[in-house]
Structures are given as structure tokens and as C-alpha cells.
Amino acid sequence: MLSPFLICLALITFAPNNQSTVVVTGRVVYEDTGQPATRHRVQLIASEALLNARSGLRIPTVVTNERGEFSLQRVTTGEYYVLAEPIDQRGNKSQLNLILRRSGDDAADAAKLEQFKKKNVSITVDGQRDVEVNVRVPNPQFGTISGVVFDAMRQPAARA
């Protein structure tokens, strides 16, 4: 006859894992050129973490390679926002710090959260299939110049 201890041990050992994990892979490219965004920190921000920020939050993070590719292993089921930023962008410039830091103004925080959600790709990890995602980020090397060109008479120059 089996002891109750051995039966419990067998049930615990062979119990199905409720937190299935998958691999999230992808590529980060610059939105203007389509070139690989190398040395970008890619983070998966759980949806519920955006509403309930707390210290000790586990955020899967990896850095893109020379082809802009990344792979995050053992990602648990849930809904995530994919955040990709240059690895040297930290502190007050990081989107993650901006979104997790509460200002005390509920309306401003809600607007900031909605902007974050619009700007970043959302994925769902179901625990059954690996996920592939492509992310486009602004290119910090290029910008836009706008204005008016004037001629010698201080009139707007045609087709300048």
C-alpha cells in the first residue's frame, strides 16, 4: 500500500504547470529606413503592470543583436506591450520610467498610459505557441527640418 506522503509527492511532481512558457522572438528596425536597430533594449511590459506598478516587477529584457533581432526565453502567459529603446536611454527619458512613475494627477497619468499603449506593440502570449513580433522605432540619427526659405528681398522663395 502506498503511503499518503508518496501519493501527494506524485501528484505534486506530475501536476500540470499552470504557467506555460514560450519564446518571444522578433526584430527591431528603424521606421524611416527599415535598417536594423542594434543595441536596443527590448522589454515586455505586462498589461496589468501598467495599471498596478510596484517595485520588484519582473520585466523580461534582452538587447538586440547586429541584425536587430532578439529572443526572450520562458515568457509566461499574458498580455504584454513590447518596448524597444536604445540601451543608453535611461532615467527620465525612458518610456518605462515615465509610464510607471505616477504624478498624482489621475487624468494626466491616464493620458500618459493611453499614449504609451498607442505607441507600443501589444502581444498576447497564450503559452501554446511561440510569438514573433516586429517593432519599428524612431531613428535618433535623423530628424525633420521645417521652415520657410527667404530670398534677398525677404520674400518666401518659390520651390525652395
PDB file of all heavy atoms in Angstrom, residues 26-38 40-42 64 68 70 82-86 95 116 118-122 133-140:
ATOM      1  N   GLY A  26      11.851  38.318 -32.376  1.00  0.00           N
ATOM      2  CA  GLY A  26      11.467  39.390 -33.282  1.00  0.00           C
ATOM      3  C   GLY A  26      12.647  40.179 -33.780  1.00  0.00           C
ATOM      4  O   GLY A  26      13.805  39.800 -33.586  1.00  0.00           O
ATOM      5  N   ARG A  27      12.301  41.283 -34.386  1.00  0.00           N
ATOM      6  CA  ARG A  27      13.312  42.161 -34.979  1.00  0.00           C
ATOM      7  C   ARG A  27      12.881  43.605 -34.757  1.00  0.00           C
ATOM      8  O   ARG A  27      11.697  43.935 -34.888  1.00  0.00           O
ATOM      9  CB  ARG A  27      13.428  41.867 -36.466  1.00  0.00           C
ATOM     10  CG  ARG A  27      14.576  42.562 -37.139  1.00  0.00           C
ATOM     11  CD  ARG A  27      14.914  41.877 -38.453  1.00  0.00           C
ATOM     12  NE  ARG A  27      16.128  42.444 -38.982  1.00  0.00           N
ATOM     13  CZ  ARG A  27      16.205  43.134 -40.105  1.00  0.00           C
ATOM     14  NH1 ARG A  27      15.132  43.324 -40.847  1.00  0.00           N
ATOM     15  NH2 ARG A  27      17.349  43.624 -40.504  1.00  0.00           N
ATOM     16  N   VAL A  28      13.850  44.461 -34.464  1.00  0.00           N
ATOM     17  CA  VAL A  28      13.601  45.883 -34.284  1.00  0.00           C
ATOM     18  C   VAL A  28      14.312  46.610 -35.423  1.00  0.00           C
ATOM     19  O   VAL A  28      15.499  46.383 -35.669  1.00  0.00           O
ATOM     20  CB  VAL A  28      14.132  46.385 -32.919  1.00  0.00           C
ATOM     21  CG1 VAL A  28      13.846  47.869 -32.753  1.00  0.00           C
ATOM     22  CG2 VAL A  28      13.507  45.587 -31.774  1.00  0.00           C
ATOM     23  N   VAL A  29      13.538  47.449 -36.137  1.00  0.00           N
ATOM     24  CA  VAL A  29      14.103  48.221 -37.249  1.00  0.00           C
ATOM     25  C   VAL A  29      13.705  49.684 -37.084  1.00  0.00           C
ATOM     26  O   VAL A  29      12.732  50.013 -36.420  1.00  0.00           O
ATOM     27  CB  VAL A  29      13.629  47.700 -38.631  1.00  0.00           C
ATOM     28  CG1 VAL A  29      14.094  46.272 -38.866  1.00  0.00           C
ATOM     29  CG2 VAL A  29      12.129  47.818 -38.777  1.00  0.00           C
ATOM     30  N   TYR A  30      14.494  50.561 -37.744  1.00  0.00           N
ATOM     31  CA  TYR A  30      14.164  51.983 -37.738  1.00  0.00           C
ATOM     32  C   TYR A  30      13.002  52.228 -38.694  1.00  0.00           C
ATOM     33  O   TYR A  30      12.980  51.711 -39.812  1.00  0.00           O
ATOM     34  CB  TYR A  30      15.369  52.834 -38.134  1.00  0.00           C
ATOM     35  CG  TYR A  30      16.462  52.797 -37.095  1.00  0.00           C
ATOM     36  CD1 TYR A  30      17.710  52.282 -37.394  1.00  0.00           C
ATOM     37  CD2 TYR A  30      16.226  53.272 -35.809  1.00  0.00           C
ATOM     38  CE1 TYR A  30      18.711  52.248 -36.440  1.00  0.00           C
ATOM     39  CE2 TYR A  30      17.214  53.239 -34.850  1.00  0.00           C
ATOM     40  CZ  TYR A  30      18.452  52.723 -35.162  1.00  0.00           C
ATOM     41  OH  TYR A  30      19.435  52.682 -34.208  1.00  0.00           O
ATOM     42  N   GLU A  31      12.027  53.007 -38.251  1.00  0.00           N
ATOM     43  CA  GLU A  31      10.814  53.228 -39.037  1.00  0.00           C
ATOM     44  C   GLU A  31      11.061  53.975 -40.335  1.00  0.00           C
ATOM     45  O   GLU A  31      10.345  53.782 -41.305  1.00  0.00           O
ATOM     46  CB  GLU A  31       9.748  53.938 -38.200  1.00  0.00           C
ATOM     47  CG  GLU A  31      10.157  55.308 -37.701  1.00  0.00           C
ATOM     48  CD  GLU A  31       9.184  55.902 -36.689  1.00  0.00           C
ATOM     49  OE1 GLU A  31       8.209  55.219 -36.325  1.00  0.00           O
ATOM     50  OE2 GLU A  31       9.413  57.042 -36.275  1.00  0.00           O
ATOM     51  N   ASP A  32      12.104  54.801 -40.396  1.00  0.00           N
ATOM     52  CA  ASP A  32      12.334  55.588 -41.610  1.00  0.00           C
ATOM     53  C   ASP A  32      13.165  54.858 -42.658  1.00  0.00           C
ATOM     54  O   ASP A  32      12.970  55.052 -43.844  1.00  0.00           O
ATOM     55  CB  ASP A  32      12.968  56.944 -41.277  1.00  0.00           C
ATOM     56  CG  ASP A  32      14.297  56.816 -40.565  1.00  0.00           C
ATOM     57  OD1 ASP A  32      14.631  55.720 -40.083  1.00  0.00           O
ATOM     58  OD2 ASP A  32      15.019  57.833 -40.485  1.00  0.00           O
ATOM     59  N   THR A  33      14.087  53.997 -42.223  1.00  0.00           N
ATOM     60  CA  THR A  33      14.990  53.351 -43.181  1.00  0.00           C
ATOM     61  C   THR A  33      14.774  51.845 -43.295  1.00  0.00           C
ATOM     62  O   THR A  33      15.229  51.246 -44.260  1.00  0.00           O
ATOM     63  CB  THR A  33      16.458  53.585 -42.775  1.00  0.00           C
ATOM     64  OG1 THR A  33      16.698  52.939 -41.516  1.00  0.00           O
ATOM     65  CG2 THR A  33      16.789  55.063 -42.709  1.00  0.00           C
ATOM     66  N   GLY A  34      14.147  51.234 -42.289  1.00  0.00           N
ATOM     67  CA  GLY A  34      13.998  49.785 -42.283  1.00  0.00           C
ATOM     68  C   GLY A  34      15.274  49.059 -41.898  1.00  0.00           C
ATOM     69  O   GLY A  34      15.327  47.832 -41.905  1.00  0.00           O
ATOM     70  N   GLN A  35      16.317  49.810 -41.555  1.00  0.00           N
ATOM     71  CA  GLN A  35      17.589  49.217 -41.147  1.00  0.00           C
ATOM     72  C   GLN A  35      17.480  48.665 -39.727  1.00  0.00           C
ATOM     73  O   GLN A  35      16.692  49.165 -38.916  1.00  0.00           O
ATOM     74  CB  GLN A  35      18.708  50.261 -41.214  1.00  0.00           C
ATOM     75  CG  GLN A  35      18.998  50.747 -42.612  1.00  0.00           C
ATOM     76  CD  GLN A  35      19.491  49.624 -43.501  1.00  0.00           C
ATOM     77  OE1 GLN A  35      20.392  48.870 -43.148  1.00  0.00           O
ATOM     78  NE2 GLN A  35      18.857  49.490 -44.666  1.00  0.00           N
ATOM     79  N   PRO A  36      18.282  47.648 -39.392  1.00  0.00           N
ATOM     80  CA  PRO A  36      18.228  47.057 -38.051  1.00  0.00           C
ATOM     81  C   PRO A  36      18.570  48.072 -36.962  1.00  0.00           C
ATOM     82  O   PRO A  36      19.498  48.864 -37.112  1.00  0.00           O
ATOM     83  CB  PRO A  36      19.285  45.958 -38.082  1.00  0.00           C
ATOM     84  CG  PRO A  36      19.703  45.806 -39.487  1.00  0.00           C
ATOM     85  CD  PRO A  36      19.278  47.011 -40.242  1.00  0.00           C
ATOM     86  N   ALA A  37      17.813  48.032 -35.891  1.00  0.00           N
ATOM     87  CA  ALA A  37      18.083  48.870 -34.717  1.00  0.00           C
ATOM     88  C   ALA A  37      18.914  48.030 -33.756  1.00  0.00           C
ATOM     89  O   ALA A  37      18.386  47.217 -32.996  1.00  0.00           O
ATOM     90  CB  ALA A  37      16.783  49.323 -34.074  1.00  0.00           C
ATOM     91  N   THR A  38      20.219  48.203 -33.833  1.00  0.00           N
ATOM     92  CA  THR A  38      21.125  47.424 -32.993  1.00  0.00           C
ATOM     93  C   THR A  38      21.228  48.047 -31.610  1.00  0.00           C
ATOM     94  O   THR A  38      20.971  49.234 -31.430  1.00  0.00           O
ATOM     95  CB  THR A  38      22.530  47.343 -33.631  1.00  0.00           C
ATOM     96  OG1 THR A  38      23.048  48.665 -33.735  1.00  0.00           O
ATOM     97  CG2 THR A  38      22.465  46.710 -35.012  1.00  0.00           C
ATOM     98  N   HIS A  40      19.449  47.820 -28.968  1.00  0.00           N
ATOM     99  CA  HIS A  40      18.206  48.333 -28.382  1.00  0.00           C
ATOM    100  C   HIS A  40      17.744  47.364 -27.299  1.00  0.00           C
ATOM    101  O   HIS A  40      17.783  46.146 -27.480  1.00  0.00           O
ATOM    102  CB  HIS A  40      17.110  48.470 -29.440  1.00  0.00           C
ATOM    103  CG  HIS A  40      17.089  49.806 -30.102  1.00  0.00           C
ATOM    104  ND1 HIS A  40      18.159  50.299 -30.813  1.00  0.00           N
ATOM    105  CD2 HIS A  40      16.131  50.759 -30.142  1.00  0.00           C
ATOM    106  CE1 HIS A  40      17.859  51.505 -31.278  1.00  0.00           C
ATOM    107  NE2 HIS A  40      16.634  51.805 -30.876  1.00  0.00           N
ATOM    108  N   ARG A  41      17.331  47.916 -26.179  1.00  0.00           N
ATOM    109  CA  ARG A  41      16.782  47.124 -25.086  1.00  0.00           C
ATOM    110  C   ARG A  41      15.320  46.834 -25.413  1.00  0.00           C
ATOM    111  O   ARG A  41      14.538  47.745 -25.652  1.00  0.00           O
ATOM    112  CB  ARG A  41      16.886  47.905 -23.777  1.00  0.00           C
ATOM    113  CG  ARG A  41      16.388  47.163 -22.558  1.00  0.00           C
ATOM    114  CD  ARG A  41      16.435  48.002 -21.275  1.00  0.00           C
ATOM    115  NE  ARG A  41      17.479  48.993 -21.205  1.00  0.00           N
ATOM    116  CZ  ARG A  41      17.281  50.309 -21.375  1.00  0.00           C
ATOM    117  NH1 ARG A  41      16.089  50.794 -21.627  1.00  0.00           N
ATOM    118  NH2 ARG A  41      18.288  51.147 -21.292  1.00  0.00           N
ATOM    119  N   VAL A  42      14.965  45.552 -25.450  1.00  0.00           N
ATOM    120  CA  VAL A  42      13.582  45.144 -25.706  1.00  0.00           C
ATOM    121  C   VAL A  42      13.032  44.588 -24.403  1.00  0.00           C
ATOM    122  O   VAL A  42      13.631  43.704 -23.793  1.00  0.00           O
ATOM    123  CB  VAL A  42      13.513  44.078 -26.824  1.00  0.00           C
ATOM    124  CG1 VAL A  42      12.076  43.624 -27.042  1.00  0.00           C
ATOM    125  CG2 VAL A  42      14.109  44.616 -28.117  1.00  0.00           C
ATOM    126  N   THR A  64      19.019  43.783 -28.578  1.00  0.00           N
ATOM    127  CA  THR A  64      19.066  43.335 -29.969  1.00  0.00           C
ATOM    128  C   THR A  64      20.509  43.124 -30.425  1.00  0.00           C
ATOM    129  O   THR A  64      21.426  43.776 -29.943  1.00  0.00           O
ATOM    130  CB  THR A  64      18.390  44.349 -30.917  1.00  0.00           C
ATOM    131  OG1 THR A  64      19.064  45.599 -30.825  1.00  0.00           O
ATOM    132  CG2 THR A  64      16.921  44.511 -30.608  1.00  0.00           C
ATOM    133  N   GLY A  68      19.415  43.456 -35.418  1.00  0.00           N
ATOM    134  CA  GLY A  68      18.202  43.984 -34.794  1.00  0.00           C
ATOM    135  C   GLY A  68      17.304  42.895 -34.231  1.00  0.00           C
ATOM    136  O   GLY A  68      16.180  43.169 -33.831  1.00  0.00           O
ATOM    137  N   PHE A  70      16.041  39.774 -31.634  1.00  0.00           N
ATOM    138  CA  PHE A  70      16.027  39.477 -30.206  1.00  0.00           C
ATOM    139  C   PHE A  70      15.256  38.195 -29.950  1.00  0.00           C
ATOM    140  O   PHE A  70      14.461  37.751 -30.786  1.00  0.00           O
ATOM    141  CB  PHE A  70      15.415  40.630 -29.392  1.00  0.00           C
ATOM    142  CG  PHE A  70      13.955  40.866 -29.663  1.00  0.00           C
ATOM    143  CD1 PHE A  70      12.977  40.214 -28.916  1.00  0.00           C
ATOM    144  CD2 PHE A  70      13.555  41.740 -30.661  1.00  0.00           C
ATOM    145  CE1 PHE A  70      11.633  40.439 -29.167  1.00  0.00           C
ATOM    146  CE2 PHE A  70      12.219  41.968 -30.917  1.00  0.00           C
ATOM    147  CZ  PHE A  70      11.255  41.314 -30.170  1.00  0.00           C
ATOM    148  N   VAL A  82       5.364  45.595 -26.029  1.00  0.00           N
ATOM    149  CA  VAL A  82       6.775  45.441 -26.376  1.00  0.00           C
ATOM    150  C   VAL A  82       7.383  46.837 -26.447  1.00  0.00           C
ATOM    151  O   VAL A  82       6.965  47.663 -27.257  1.00  0.00           O
ATOM    152  CB  VAL A  82       6.941  44.713 -27.724  1.00  0.00           C
ATOM    153  CG1 VAL A  82       8.416  44.520 -28.042  1.00  0.00           C
ATOM    154  CG2 VAL A  82       6.199  43.378 -27.710  1.00  0.00           C
ATOM    155  N   LEU A  83       8.362  47.074 -25.603  1.00  0.00           N
ATOM    156  CA  LEU A  83       9.034  48.370 -25.531  1.00  0.00           C
ATOM    157  C   LEU A  83      10.465  48.195 -26.013  1.00  0.00           C
ATOM    158  O   LEU A  83      11.199  47.349 -25.503  1.00  0.00           O
ATOM    159  CB  LEU A  83       9.024  48.887 -24.088  1.00  0.00           C
ATOM    160  CG  LEU A  83       9.772  50.175 -23.800  1.00  0.00           C
ATOM    161  CD1 LEU A  83       9.197  51.326 -24.609  1.00  0.00           C
ATOM    162  CD2 LEU A  83       9.727  50.492 -22.320  1.00  0.00           C
ATOM    163  N   ALA A  84      10.864  48.961 -27.027  1.00  0.00           N
ATOM    164  CA  ALA A  84      12.232  48.913 -27.549  1.00  0.00           C
ATOM    165  C   ALA A  84      12.818  50.319 -27.511  1.00  0.00           C
ATOM    166  O   ALA A  84      12.235  51.252 -28.066  1.00  0.00           O
ATOM    167  CB  ALA A  84      12.236  48.372 -28.970  1.00  0.00           C
ATOM    168  N   GLU A  85      13.945  50.457 -26.828  1.00  0.00           N
ATOM    169  CA  GLU A  85      14.627  51.744 -26.697  1.00  0.00           C
ATOM    170  C   GLU A  85      16.132  51.513 -26.790  1.00  0.00           C
ATOM    171  O   GLU A  85      16.616  50.439 -26.444  1.00  0.00           O
ATOM    172  CB  GLU A  85      14.333  52.387 -25.340  1.00  0.00           C
ATOM    173  CG  GLU A  85      12.892  52.730 -25.101  1.00  0.00           C
ATOM    174  CD  GLU A  85      12.659  53.338 -23.727  1.00  0.00           C
ATOM    175  OE1 GLU A  85      13.125  52.780 -22.720  1.00  0.00           O
ATOM    176  OE2 GLU A  85      12.014  54.388 -23.691  1.00  0.00           O
ATOM    177  N   PRO A  86      16.887  52.525 -27.239  1.00  0.00           N
ATOM    178  CA  PRO A  86      18.354  52.389 -27.238  1.00  0.00           C
ATOM    179  C   PRO A  86      18.844  52.076 -25.821  1.00  0.00           C
ATOM    180  O   PRO A  86      18.278  52.578 -24.840  1.00  0.00           O
ATOM    181  CB  PRO A  86      18.847  53.770 -27.682  1.00  0.00           C
ATOM    182  CG  PRO A  86      17.679  54.386 -28.391  1.00  0.00           C
ATOM    183  CD  PRO A  86      16.453  53.832 -27.735  1.00  0.00           C
ATOM    184  N   GLN A  95      10.791  55.464 -21.624  1.00  0.00           N
ATOM    185  CA  GLN A  95       9.325  55.363 -21.611  1.00  0.00           C
ATOM    186  C   GLN A  95       8.839  54.583 -20.394  1.00  0.00           C
ATOM    187  O   GLN A  95       7.805  54.907 -19.824  1.00  0.00           O
ATOM    188  CB  GLN A  95       8.833  54.640 -22.862  1.00  0.00           C
ATOM    189  CG  GLN A  95       8.787  55.467 -24.091  1.00  0.00           C
ATOM    190  CD  GLN A  95       8.066  54.702 -25.175  1.00  0.00           C
ATOM    191  OE1 GLN A  95       6.894  54.375 -25.035  1.00  0.00           O
ATOM    192  NE2 GLN A  95       8.775  54.399 -26.239  1.00  0.00           N
ATOM    193  N   PHE A 116       1.165  55.632 -24.254  1.00  0.00           N
ATOM    194  CA  PHE A 116       2.098  54.501 -24.230  1.00  0.00           C
ATOM    195  C   PHE A 116       1.504  53.312 -24.984  1.00  0.00           C
ATOM    196  O   PHE A 116       2.182  52.675 -25.786  1.00  0.00           O
ATOM    197  CB  PHE A 116       2.401  54.106 -22.773  1.00  0.00           C
ATOM    198  CG  PHE A 116       3.305  52.913 -22.646  1.00  0.00           C
ATOM    199  CD1 PHE A 116       4.682  53.082 -22.643  1.00  0.00           C
ATOM    200  CD2 PHE A 116       2.785  51.641 -22.528  1.00  0.00           C
ATOM    201  CE1 PHE A 116       5.528  51.987 -22.523  1.00  0.00           C
ATOM    202  CE2 PHE A 116       3.621  50.534 -22.412  1.00  0.00           C
ATOM    203  CZ  PHE A 116       4.995  50.714 -22.407  1.00  0.00           C
ATOM    204  N   LYS A 118      -0.764  53.314 -27.364  1.00  0.00           N
ATOM    205  CA  LYS A 118      -0.843  53.587 -28.799  1.00  0.00           C
ATOM    206  C   LYS A 118       0.521  53.464 -29.468  1.00  0.00           C
ATOM    207  O   LYS A 118       0.628  53.042 -30.614  1.00  0.00           O
ATOM    208  CB  LYS A 118      -1.398  54.986 -29.049  1.00  0.00           C
ATOM    209  CG  LYS A 118      -2.876  55.112 -28.807  1.00  0.00           C
ATOM    210  CD  LYS A 118      -3.336  56.530 -29.069  1.00  0.00           C
ATOM    211  CE  LYS A 118      -4.799  56.693 -28.701  1.00  0.00           C
ATOM    212  NZ  LYS A 118      -5.235  58.080 -28.837  1.00  0.00           N
ATOM    213  N   LYS A 119       1.554  53.846 -28.749  1.00  0.00           N
ATOM    214  CA  LYS A 119       2.898  53.915 -29.321  1.00  0.00           C
ATOM    215  C   LYS A 119       3.595  52.556 -29.398  1.00  0.00           C
ATOM    216  O   LYS A 119       4.465  52.359 -30.240  1.00  0.00           O
ATOM    217  CB  LYS A 119       3.740  54.878 -28.466  1.00  0.00           C
ATOM    218  CG  LYS A 119       5.082  55.189 -29.023  1.00  0.00           C
ATOM    219  CD  LYS A 119       5.776  56.238 -28.174  1.00  0.00           C
ATOM    220  CE  LYS A 119       7.105  56.621 -28.778  1.00  0.00           C
ATOM    221  NZ  LYS A 119       7.766  57.654 -28.002  1.00  0.00           N
ATOM    222  N   ASN A 120       3.233  51.616 -28.532  1.00  0.00           N
ATOM    223  CA  ASN A 120       3.934  50.346 -28.435  1.00  0.00           C
ATOM    224  C   ASN A 120       3.081  49.168 -28.886  1.00  0.00           C
ATOM    225  O   ASN A 120       1.865  49.153 -28.677  1.00  0.00           O
ATOM    226  CB  ASN A 120       4.422  50.131 -27.000  1.00  0.00           C
ATOM    227  CG  ASN A 120       5.461  51.162 -26.630  1.00  0.00           C
ATOM    228  OD1 ASN A 120       6.588  51.115 -27.074  1.00  0.00           O
ATOM    229  ND2 ASN A 120       5.061  52.138 -25.830  1.00  0.00           N
ATOM    230  N   VAL A 121       3.738  48.181 -29.486  1.00  0.00           N
ATOM    231  CA  VAL A 121       3.084  46.978 -29.986  1.00  0.00           C
ATOM    232  C   VAL A 121       2.580  46.135 -28.821  1.00  0.00           C
ATOM    233  O   VAL A 121       3.271  45.969 -27.821  1.00  0.00           O
ATOM    234  CB  VAL A 121       4.082  46.144 -30.829  1.00  0.00           C
ATOM    235  CG1 VAL A 121       3.462  44.841 -31.289  1.00  0.00           C
ATOM    236  CG2 VAL A 121       4.589  46.950 -32.000  1.00  0.00           C
ATOM    237  N   SER A 122       1.380  45.593 -28.971  1.00  0.00           N
ATOM    238  CA  SER A 122       0.783  44.721 -27.965  1.00  0.00           C
ATOM    239  C   SER A 122       0.800  43.281 -28.478  1.00  0.00           C
ATOM    240  O   SER A 122       0.519  43.050 -29.662  1.00  0.00           O
ATOM    241  CB  SER A 122      -0.661  45.161 -27.711  1.00  0.00           C
ATOM    242  OG  SER A 122      -1.340  44.218 -26.929  1.00  0.00           O
ATOM    243  N   VAL A 133       7.386  38.944 -33.282  1.00  0.00           N
ATOM    244  CA  VAL A 133       6.918  40.332 -33.353  1.00  0.00           C
ATOM    245  C   VAL A 133       7.970  41.203 -34.028  1.00  0.00           C
ATOM    246  O   VAL A 133       9.166  40.986 -33.848  1.00  0.00           O
ATOM    247  CB  VAL A 133       6.564  40.869 -31.940  1.00  0.00           C
ATOM    248  CG1 VAL A 133       7.764  40.878 -31.032  1.00  0.00           C
ATOM    249  CG2 VAL A 133       5.953  42.244 -32.001  1.00  0.00           C
ATOM    250  N   ASN A 134       7.509  42.134 -34.840  1.00  0.00           N
ATOM    251  CA  ASN A 134       8.400  43.110 -35.474  1.00  0.00           C
ATOM    252  C   ASN A 134       8.066  44.487 -34.924  1.00  0.00           C
ATOM    253  O   ASN A 134       6.894  44.847 -34.841  1.00  0.00           O
ATOM    254  CB  ASN A 134       8.249  43.079 -36.992  1.00  0.00           C
ATOM    255  CG  ASN A 134       8.777  41.777 -37.557  1.00  0.00           C
ATOM    256  OD1 ASN A 134       9.913  41.413 -37.302  1.00  0.00           O
ATOM    257  ND2 ASN A 134       7.955  41.071 -38.293  1.00  0.00           N
ATOM    258  N   VAL A 135       9.105  45.214 -34.555  1.00  0.00           N
ATOM    259  CA  VAL A 135       8.935  46.516 -33.917  1.00  0.00           C
ATOM    260  C   VAL A 135       9.658  47.574 -34.747  1.00  0.00           C
ATOM    261  O   VAL A 135      10.791  47.368 -35.176  1.00  0.00           O
ATOM    262  CB  VAL A 135       9.514  46.489 -32.476  1.00  0.00           C
ATOM    263  CG1 VAL A 135       9.324  47.824 -31.793  1.00  0.00           C
ATOM    264  CG2 VAL A 135       8.889  45.367 -31.667  1.00  0.00           C
ATOM    265  N   ARG A 136       8.994  48.703 -34.953  1.00  0.00           N
ATOM    266  CA  ARG A 136       9.586  49.840 -35.663  1.00  0.00           C
ATOM    267  C   ARG A 136       9.787  50.960 -34.652  1.00  0.00           C
ATOM    268  O   ARG A 136       8.868  51.290 -33.914  1.00  0.00           O
ATOM    269  CB  ARG A 136       8.680  50.261 -36.806  1.00  0.00           C
ATOM    270  CG  ARG A 136       8.482  49.128 -37.821  1.00  0.00           C
ATOM    271  CD  ARG A 136       7.543  49.499 -38.930  1.00  0.00           C
ATOM    272  NE  ARG A 136       8.050  50.523 -39.814  1.00  0.00           N
ATOM    273  CZ  ARG A 136       8.920  50.330 -40.799  1.00  0.00           C
ATOM    274  NH1 ARG A 136       9.390  49.135 -41.027  1.00  0.00           N
ATOM    275  NH2 ARG A 136       9.315  51.323 -41.565  1.00  0.00           N
ATOM    276  N   VAL A 137      11.001  51.518 -34.634  1.00  0.00           N
ATOM    277  CA  VAL A 137      11.334  52.570 -33.671  1.00  0.00           C
ATOM    278  C   VAL A 137      11.828  53.808 -34.402  1.00  0.00           C
ATOM    279  O   VAL A 137      12.327  53.721 -35.524  1.00  0.00           O
ATOM    280  CB  VAL A 137      12.403  52.085 -32.658  1.00  0.00           C
ATOM    281  CG1 VAL A 137      11.878  50.956 -31.796  1.00  0.00           C
ATOM    282  CG2 VAL A 137      13.687  51.682 -33.353  1.00  0.00           C
ATOM    283  N   PRO A 138      11.701  54.979 -33.775  1.00  0.00           N
ATOM    284  CA  PRO A 138      12.226  56.207 -34.384  1.00  0.00           C
ATOM    285  C   PRO A 138      13.748  56.126 -34.514  1.00  0.00           C
ATOM    286  O   PRO A 138      14.410  55.536 -33.675  1.00  0.00           O
ATOM    287  CB  PRO A 138      11.839  57.314 -33.408  1.00  0.00           C
ATOM    288  CG  PRO A 138      10.907  56.711 -32.436  1.00  0.00           C
ATOM    289  CD  PRO A 138      11.059  55.233 -32.500  1.00  0.00           C
ATOM    290  N   ASN A 139      14.264  56.726 -35.552  1.00  0.00           N
ATOM    291  CA  ASN A 139      15.707  56.754 -35.769  1.00  0.00           C
ATOM    292  C   ASN A 139      16.260  58.030 -35.152  1.00  0.00           C
ATOM    293  O   ASN A 139      15.968  59.113 -35.626  1.00  0.00           O
ATOM    294  CB  ASN A 139      16.009  56.711 -37.264  1.00  0.00           C
ATOM    295  CG  ASN A 139      17.471  56.485 -37.547  1.00  0.00           C
ATOM    296  OD1 ASN A 139      18.319  56.707 -36.706  1.00  0.00           O
ATOM    297  ND2 ASN A 139      17.764  56.042 -38.754  1.00  0.00           N
ATOM    298  N   PRO A 140      17.079  57.897 -34.100  1.00  0.00           N
ATOM    299  CA  PRO A 140      17.598  59.100 -33.443  1.00  0.00           C
ATOM    300  C   PRO A 140      18.647  59.823 -34.280  1.00  0.00           C
ATOM    301  O   PRO A 140      19.021  60.946 -33.968  1.00  0.00           O
ATOM    302  CB  PRO A 140      18.212  58.553 -32.153  1.00  0.00           C
ATOM    303  CG  PRO A 140      18.599  57.155 -32.496  1.00  0.00           C
ATOM    304  CD  PRO A 140      17.552  56.676 -33.467  1.00  0.00           C
TER     305      PRO A 140
END
